Amino acid sequence: MVPPDSAVSPLSHARWWRAGVVQAVSPPGVLDLGPGYLEPSLLPVDEVYPLYAEALAEYGPAALTYGANAGAQPLRALLAARHGCAPEEIMVTAGTSQALTLLCTVLGRPGQAVVVERTCYDLGRRIMTDHGLHLREVDADGEGVRPEALDRALSHGDDVAFVYLTPTFHNPTGTVAGESRRLELLAVAARHGVRIVEDDAYTELGLDRTAPPPSLAALAGRRGVIRLGSFAKTLGPGLRLGWLEADPDLVETMTDRGQLVSGGALNHLTSLAVAMLMGDGRYDRRLSWLRAQLRLRRDTLVAALRAGMGESVTFDCPAGGFFVWLTFEHPRRSESSLLASAGRAGVAVAPGSRFGSVAGTHLRLAYSLNSPDGLAAAAARLAAAWRNEETLR
Ligand SMILES: Cc1ncc(COP(=O)(O)O)c(C=O)c1O
């Protein structure tokens, strides 16, 4: 039973933001389609609440000691079974951001390049540049990075730390690389002897009948590919729990770092708690429910955009993840004026330029942080604001 004062309401975030508990909150009165967060009512407070008690009952003081460096075996075993690899190929992390940080220090040296898609996860870019790595952007199409572009980027003859890709439900574009595209990208990277880091934060959130193709890591048997997984988008980012899949030698190298030898697993009790959820079907039931909720939100937003927007805006309906990527066909529609008129209409959206040196004008809309009614209202406001702007021009 969850105590009554932890009941979830959108306002609970504002209160806890003022109290210095949460990182960010939407401005009051604004329909916020900016960040890729789950709406508070989609965060599983009731499901997570008993898990810590269950883990403590099962493991006693072992749940409060330093955990095994690579992460608690029960969670590693469950993740391995789910993703078709061996437990030795799994390392528990404190989420994708921490895993990427670790990889930048283990695989990279300041001054080296990371090859990235021209448009990709803004904070992933930031983590890599924070480590003195510079980003070499390559062109993409409707399936993500183009193999010829990757080949060219790897042919400079200089030092590349790794290639960073998001082939499934890409942030921000929502694209999915098909299996043959994946095989081509793997072949190019293997030919150049460069590792791929596959950021797979959204894979479990497919919203259509067709499942996405196997991960790059699965296709490569984890040779030359490190896949990053996270519970941030399926359960909640506050758990700070994720994992990476890599060949066992690399897992061993990474778990032999001073930080882990000194401090043990990065998130021991939470790993044991989440293993309770995954071990008996509750996680899968949660995912089915969450997918249905996200599908409803995606369909509502897409339908409202289609009904309200003129032909000057194009977008594909994403097959999964959190985002719709808008493209403005009219060359004179600037990102700043679109953002400003959205803001005046009480809607926040993410500027496309945040995600790299994007050609043309784009905005990203997240359907994860609002109710279906909120999304329909936001789309209507955007359509009116942008139509108005067009007629004023
Ligand atoms: C592509 C991608 N990778 C990683 C993350 C962050 O993951 P985590 O919360 O596990 O650090 C996000 C969150 O927005 C994301 O969109």
Side-chain angles (χ1 to χ4, degrees), residues 36-37 93-100 121-124 127 164 166 169-171 199-202 228-233 237 240-242 322-323 364:
Y37 302 158
T93 69
T96 298
S97 309
Q98 182 273 327
L100 200 49
Y121 175 46
D122 53 335
L123 297 176
I127 291 169
Y164 170 78
T166 306
F169 311 138
H170 185 274
N171 176 9
D199 186 340
D200 225 356
Y202 298 94
L228 310 183
S230 177
F231 291 101
K233 309 298 170 182
R240 286 296 78 214
L241 187 66
F322 283 4
F323 309 112
R364 188 194 74 178

Side-chain angles (χ1 to χ4, degrees), residues 111-392:
Q112 281 186 307
V114 179
V115 174
V116 300
E117 193 164 327
R118 193 167 297 291
T119 308
C120 67
Y121 175 46
D122 53 335
L123 297 176
R125 303 168 75 93
R126 161 93 185 270
I127 291 169
M128 295 183 276
T129 54
D130 278 353
H131 285 84
L133 300 165
H134 64 90
L135 305 180
R136 181 173 301 155
E137 295 183 335
V138 294
D139 288 331
D141 58 18
E143 285 197 72
V145 162
R146 291 179 24 243
E148 325 79 74
L150 180 62
D151 191 38
R152 269 198 307 279
L154 293 177
S155 302
H156 286 225
D158 60 352
D159 248 6
V160 172
F162 54 87
V163 178
Y164 170 78
L165 299 177
T166 306
T168 310
F169 311 138
H170 185 274
N171 176 9
T173 62
T175 54
V176 179
E179 187 164 337
S180 53
R181 170 65 60 92
R182 289 173 193 239
L183 292 169
E184 285 177 83
L185 293 170
L186 285 171
V188 172
R191 202 164 58 244
H192 289 276
V194 176
R195 283 195 179 94
I196 295 178
V197 173
E198 177 180 24
D199 186 340
D200 225 356
Y202 298 94
T203 288
E204 299 266 33
L205 298 175
L207 304 180
D208 293 334
R209 249 179 243 282
T210 333
S215 67
L216 294 173
L219 290 169
R222 280 147 206 92
R223 275 190 302 278
V225 179
I226 300 138
R227 173 173 181 255
L228 310 183
S230 177
F231 291 101
K233 309 298 170 182
T234 56
L235 292 176
L239 292 169
R240 286 296 78 214
L241 187 66
W243 72 97
L244 63 77
E245 299 166 28
D247 71 70
D249 291 343
L250 187 59
V251 168
E252 213 175 298
T253 306
M254 287 193 286
T255 53
D256 195 36
R257 308 283 293 182
Q259 182 196 7
L260 294 167
V261 177
S262 165
L266 290 162
N267 214 342
H268 184 48
L269 177 55
T270 294
S271 301
L272 294 171
V274 169
M276 294 289 167
L277 189 77
M278 285 190 92
D280 64 5
R282 281 178 286 175
Y283 183 61
D284 283 318
R285 285 198 293 282
R286 148 86 185 165
L287 280 182
S288 304
W289 178 84
L290 182 61
R291 284 188 202 109
Q293 294 294 323
L294 289 169
R295 191 177 302 119
L296 180 62
R297 284 161 177 75
R298 176 202 62 180
D299 292 348
T300 305
L301 180 63
V302 164
L305 290 171
R306 291 217 163 112
M309 299 282 170
E311 277 169 13
S312 57
V313 185
T314 58
F315 58 92
D316 290 325
C317 178
F322 283 4
F323 309 112
V324 176
W325 180 243
L326 302 183
T327 299
F328 291 82
E329 301 295 350
H330 196 294
R332 286 212 313 276
R333 306 223 66 179
S334 79
E335 182 182 282
S336 56
S337 73
L338 290 163
L339 282 175
S341 50
R344 282 193 296 276
V347 184
V349 300
S353 60
R354 181 193 290 172
F355 305 95
S357 41
V358 185
T361 302
H362 302 269
L363 298 173
R364 188 194 74 178
L365 311 186
Y367 46 83
S368 51
L369 185 60
N370 279 274
S371 65
D373 285 350
L375 292 165
R381 286 190 199 181
L382 289 175
W386 290 336
R387 253 199 322 269
N388 236 345
E389 201 193 70
E390 222 158 51
T391 52
L392 289 178

